[in-house]
């Protein structure tokens, strides 16, 4: 397996990508990435590209990618345009994955042939002693591909290919196809069942039988109210709907889906951005053996809402305290917080109720949470300055206890006077998180204590 590629066959989220405004530190980070890319692709001398077109022009494939592309070029009659999935874990032109279980990776590529514009095909490209060649092709009839993932669904020993197709690029609704290989030729693919119109899907072993099922979430955008979660089994290479439940339909898109196992039961947490685009909710789902169906404990059939998990904080759920159980965020009291930071309460699901576990200060601009012990949280105040990316936490008497500063790793120089007194506590997404303890906070907020309190978004 190639070291740069990550294979995740068990649990995959396929969700609509939110377009977020890039400001402050994130704008600087984006500009740095452009400058770095220009440097890397210009040889030994550094120069800025002379136009936007030059910046985004494709780079010729190298190594294995080049040999795979040559095989595709030899196979396709006429020219073609490579298409990359716009979301999910696999967003490159060529995806390498062992789909047939022979310990050798195949290559998968989406392309639009010039002979059939507006129709995207999927090619599986295999290798042998003679080199790479196209083993099979699937013509979709769709104009774009939203996401690609893999999961063992049938129990036949090979991984199924899960594709979300689009009629319109980056649509909120997609068309789900599951492809599997034949017994004699695993690379000869066919679809299991017809396409399903979905908003998102997630592969998970919800009944703990050592074989993944596929959960789909579907929002009816014609009325903006109706939504449904359905669970499908693909065991034996045939699709069977196991169960379904209504969920909140006031959803613009699904942001993230996660799962965890607690007390012998799998819980699924589906985060969604609400219709207005400025709030989030979480659907909690699990399989009930008693009712032989999916359960959504917080959804109200009388109101059509999952109101108990609505929040203004645009933060997905996560295992914030590292105990192996996913916590749900909710809005805390931010009355003593100024600037672009907010208080968040994190609770775990327990027997149809939410039980508070901990609280954090959330800094969305720096993509981190600061977990402050409960005994201090009620008495502190905090101020965040987005210009300097500096969070200052004070006690009730307004004496500074400590500060956290987020800087780009490429610009950080520990010897610079600008960072005098600061200690590097964490690194994530190209950022360095620096902490500084003030005299009033020496007893409880040492640099070592602050290191443990910082929870970056990348550290899930």
């Amino acid at each position: 397996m190639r070291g740069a590629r990550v294979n995740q066959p068990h649990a995959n989220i396929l969700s609509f990508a939110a377009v977020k405004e890039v400001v402050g530190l994130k704008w600087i980070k984006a500009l740095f990435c452009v400058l770095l890319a220009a440097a890397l692709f210009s040889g030994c001398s550094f120069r800025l590209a002379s136009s936007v077109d030059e910046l985004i022009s494709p780079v010729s494939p190298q190594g294995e990618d080049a040999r795979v592309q040559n095989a595709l070029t030899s196979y396709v009659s006429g020219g073609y345009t490579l298409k990359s999935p716009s979301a999910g874990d696999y967003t490159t032109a060529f995806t390498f994955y062992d789909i047939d279980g022979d310990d050798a990776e195949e290559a998968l590529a989406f392309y639009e042939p010039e002979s059939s514009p507006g129709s995207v095909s999927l090619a599986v490209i295999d290798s042998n002693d003679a080199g790479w060649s196209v083993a099979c092709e699937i013509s979709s009839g769709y104009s774009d591909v939203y996401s690609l993932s893999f999961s063992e669904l049938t129990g036949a020993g090979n991984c199924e290919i899960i594709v979300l197709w689009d009629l319109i690029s980056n649509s909120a609704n997609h068309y789900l196809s599951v492809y599997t290989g034949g017994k004699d030729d695993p690379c000869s693919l066919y679809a299991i069942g017809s396409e399903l119109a979905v908003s998102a899907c997630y592969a998970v072993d919800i009944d703990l039988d050592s074989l993944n099922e596929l959960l789909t979430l579907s929002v009816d955008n014609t009325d903006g109210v109706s939504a449904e979660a359905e669970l499908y089994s693909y065991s034996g290479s045939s699709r069977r709907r196991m169960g379904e439940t209504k969920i909140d339909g006031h959803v613009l898109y699904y942001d993230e889906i996660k799962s965890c196992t607690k007390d012998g039961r799998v819980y699924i947490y589906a985060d969604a951005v609400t219709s207005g685009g400025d709030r989030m909710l979480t659907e909690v789902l699990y399989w009930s053996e008693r009712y032989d169906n999916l359960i959504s404990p917080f959804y109200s059939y009388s109101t059509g809402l999952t109101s108990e998990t609505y929040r203004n904080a645009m933060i997905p759920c996560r295992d914030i305290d590292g105990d192996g159980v996913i916590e749900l965020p909710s809005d805390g009291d931010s009355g003593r917080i100024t600037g672009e930071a907010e208080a968040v309460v994190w609770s775990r699901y327990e027997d149809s109720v939410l039980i508070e576990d901990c609280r954090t200060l959330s800094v969305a601009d720096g993509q981190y949470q600061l977990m402050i012990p409960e005994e201090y949280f009620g008495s502190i105040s905090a101020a965040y300055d987005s210009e300097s990316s500096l969070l200052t936490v004070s006690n009730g008497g307004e004496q500074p206890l400590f500060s956290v500063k987020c800087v780009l790793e490429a610009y950080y120089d520990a010897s610079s006077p600008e960072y005098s007194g600061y200690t590097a506590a964490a690194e994530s997404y190209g950022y360095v998180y620096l902490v500084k303890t003030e005299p009033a906070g020496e007893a409880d907020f040492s640099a070592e204590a602050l290191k443990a309190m910082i929870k970056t978004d990348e550290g899930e």
Side-chain angles (χ1 to χ4, degrees):
M1 181 182 295
R2 297 168 175 81
R5 301 185 180 99
V6 178
N7 298 334
Q8 295 177 303
H10 295 295
N12 299 282
I13 175 176
L14 311 172
S15 61
F16 183 73
V19 179
K20 297 181 180 178
E21 183 180 26
V22 180
V23 294
L25 182 61
K26 295 179 182 177
W27 184 90
I28 297 173
K29 181 184 177 185
L31 178 60
F32 169 75
C33 292
V34 171
L35 295 174
L36 180 61
L40 291 174
F41 295 132
S42 61
C44 296
S45 61
F46 175 78
R47 64 176 182 83
L48 285 175
S50 59
S51 69
V52 172
D53 288 338
E54 187 177 348
L55 276 173
I56 64 176
S57 59
V59 179
S60 298
Q62 303 290 324
E64 207 78 336
D65 283 2
R67 287 185 280 274
V68 168
Q69 181 162 341
N70 289 338
L72 183 61
T73 301
S74 299
Y75 173 81
V76 178
S77 178
Y80 63 90
T81 301
L82 286 171
K83 307 284 284 188
S84 298
S86 56
D89 294 327
Y90 304 94
T91 56
T92 56
F94 302 108
T95 298
F96 292 83
Y97 201 96
D98 179 15
I99 61 174
D100 57 7
D102 65 352
D103 296 326
E105 292 178 327
E106 289 74 41
L108 290 85
F110 296 94
Y111 67 95
E112 180 182 355
E114 288 185 1
S115 59
S116 183
S119 179
V120 177
S121 295
L122 167 63
V124 177
I125 308 166
D126 204 358
S127 64
N128 53 37
D129 293 340
W132 291 94
S133 62
V134 174
C136 68
E137 173 200 18
I138 299 251
S139 298
S140 73
Y142 295 101
S143 61
D144 211 346
V145 55
Y146 181 70
S147 59
L148 167 70
S149 63
F150 308 90
S151 182
E152 188 172 344
L153 301 173
T154 65
N158 53 290
C159 276
E160 277 61 54
I161 301 170
I162 305 170
V163 181
L164 289 187
W165 302 100
D166 276 350
L167 284 173
I168 302 173
S169 297
N170 284 321
S171 171
N173 290 317
H174 321 287
Y175 294 89
L176 166 69
S177 294
V178 175
Y179 302 103
T180 192
K183 292 182 179 180
D184 298 327
D185 185 4
C187 286
S188 179
L189 301 179
Y190 65 91
I192 304 177
S194 57
E195 294 95 343
L196 297 173
V198 305
S199 302
C201 71
Y202 183 74
V204 59
D205 182 10
I206 199 169
D207 56 3
L208 298 175
D209 65 350
S210 301
L211 187 63
N212 284 350
E213 290 75 38
L214 195 60
L215 175 75
T216 66
L217 307 175
S218 305
V219 177
D220 185 353
N221 291 119
T222 60
D223 63 15
V225 175
S226 301
E228 191 171 32
E230 298 177 278
L231 187 68
Y232 291 93
S233 168
Y234 287 81
S235 178
S237 299
S238 62
R239 186 177 70 205
R240 176 177 64 89
R241 189 169 72 167
M242 297 173 60
E244 71 285 331
T245 183
K246 290 289 187 181
I247 52 177
D248 198 319
H250 302 79
V251 166
L252 188 62
Y253 62 88
Y254 291 95
D255 183 56
E256 292 186 27
I257 306 177
K258 301 180 180 73
S259 63
C260 71
T261 302
K262 182 177 180 293
D263 298 329
R265 172 175 281 168
V266 176
Y267 294 93
I268 300 170
Y269 303 84
D271 292 313
V273 174
T274 59
S275 301
D278 58 350
R279 301 186 74 192
M280 291 189 75
L281 66 88
T282 299
E283 294 286 359
V284 179
L285 299 162
Y286 65 88
W287 179 256
S288 170
E289 293 184 355
R290 177 180 178 182
Y291 296 105
D292 196 30
N293 207 351
L294 271 177
I295 303 295
S296 50
F298 292 135
Y299 174 75
S300 169
Y301 279 82
S302 60
T303 64
L305 299 172
T306 308
S307 57
E308 193 165 350
T309 66
Y310 270 70
R311 56 189 178 271
N312 294 316
M314 302 294 284
I315 304 169
C317 61
R318 61 181 290 187
D319 177 11
I320 189 69
D321 55 6
D323 64 352
V325 176
I326 291 174
E327 285 84 23
L328 283 72
S330 60
D331 299 322
D333 179 9
S334 296
R336 299 183 306 279
I337 302 173
T338 60
E340 297 178 14
E342 54 192 333
V344 177
V345 177
W346 294 85
S347 304
R348 69 185 184 276
Y349 175 78
E350 194 83 51
D351 295 329
S352 298
V353 297
L354 293 174
I355 300 175
E356 181 179 331
D357 272 348
C358 60
R359 300 186 184 190
T360 64
L361 287 176
S362 173
V363 182
D365 187 50
Q367 301 183 60
Y368 70 93
Q369 307 283 326
L370 188 65
M371 184 183 294
I372 296 177
E374 183 69 23
E375 59 267 30
Y376 304 110
F377 205 99
S379 60
I380 63 168
S381 60
Y384 181 73
D385 180 16
S386 58
E387 290 295 323
S388 61
S389 300
L390 180 66
L391 175 71
T392 303
V393 177
S394 304
N395 62 18
E398 296 303 315
Q399 292 178 301
L401 297 172
F402 65 88
S403 57
V404 179
K405 188 176 182 63
C406 183
V407 300
L408 281 170
E409 184 178 4
Y411 292 161
Y412 174 59
D413 180 0
S415 63
S416 171
E418 180 182 359
Y419 307 123
S420 176
Y422 283 95
T423 300
E427 296 181 10
S428 177
Y429 288 127
Y431 295 137
V432 177
Y433 299 89
L434 307 176
V435 297
K436 182 165 78 171
T437 302
E438 302 295 343
E442 286 180 353
D444 304 302
F445 300 102
S446 65
E448 286 302 312
L450 291 171
K451 285 181 181 181
M453 294 180 193
I454 293 178
K455 309 294 181 181
T456 67
D457 290 355
E458 192 176 34
E460 295 190 56

